[in-house]
Amino acid sequence: MENSEFEAGLGEKFDFIYSFDVFVHLDLPTIWKYLNSIYKILNKGGRAFIHTSSITTPNGWTRFCSKADSEQLYYTTSPEAIKWLIEKAQMTVIKESMPDGNNFYLERDYLVVIQK
């Protein structure tokens, strides 16, 4: 993805933004750009829900080790890296997922709610 900027005129127009099953396909530099863009369009106190990959979950590690990911259609990261980018983008983690063997996504990925 080359353009991580949203349309001009959207500054501080949203109370809530979500991205599910998109950021798992983005590398860290692109995620960083999107987090900064999200910051710009969220109202003060606005929140966003972000879904990324995680190398630190049981199924995230398995996926990382699989040959299928060598094509880079799925970029593995970690909660620590995502939280670092969130902090540097001037936002705060409100709630984050923990691995849960009863939920496919929680056992493989990282889901987080952030606030401006």
Side-chain angles (χ1 to χ4, degrees):
M1 288 214 152
E2 290 184 29
N3 188 356
S4 56
E5 291 289 322
F6 298 109
E7 286 184 33
L10 291 180
E12 297 188 328
K13 296 243 182 203
F14 296 92
D15 293 319
F16 187 76
I17 296 168
Y18 73 94
S19 176
F20 187 83
D21 216 16
V22 175
F23 281 32
V24 297
H25 304 289
L26 304 177
D27 59 17
L28 282 176
T30 305
I31 291 172
W32 166 243
K33 290 175 186 174
Y34 271 107
L35 287 173
N36 282 287
S37 293
I38 287 169
Y39 178 85
K40 291 176 186 175
I41 66 173
L42 274 177
N43 288 324
K44 185 176 181 182
R47 295 183 177 189
F49 169 78
I50 307 295
H51 166 231
T52 69
S53 62
S54 176
I55 196 171
T56 64
T57 58
N59 290 343
W61 177 250
T62 300
R63 185 170 189 152
F64 174 76
C65 293
S66 76
K67 186 176 181 180
D69 284 340
S70 64
E71 299 170 7
Q72 296 194 340
L73 300 174
Y74 182 89
Y75 287 89
T76 305
T77 186
S78 70
E80 294 77 14
I82 298 301
K83 287 190 280 190
W84 178 259
L85 296 178
I86 289 166
E87 178 185 329
K88 294 301 180 185
Q90 305 176 56
M91 293 183 278
T92 306
V93 171
I94 300 300
K95 187 167 184 165
E96 61 185 322
S97 64
M98 298 300 292
D100 179 346
N102 295 316
N103 183 293
F104 173 80
Y105 293 103
L106 298 178
E107 191 68 1
R108 187 190 69 187
D109 300 331
Y110 179 63
L111 296 83
V112 62
V113 176
I114 58 178
Q115 185 171 13
K116 178 175 178 178

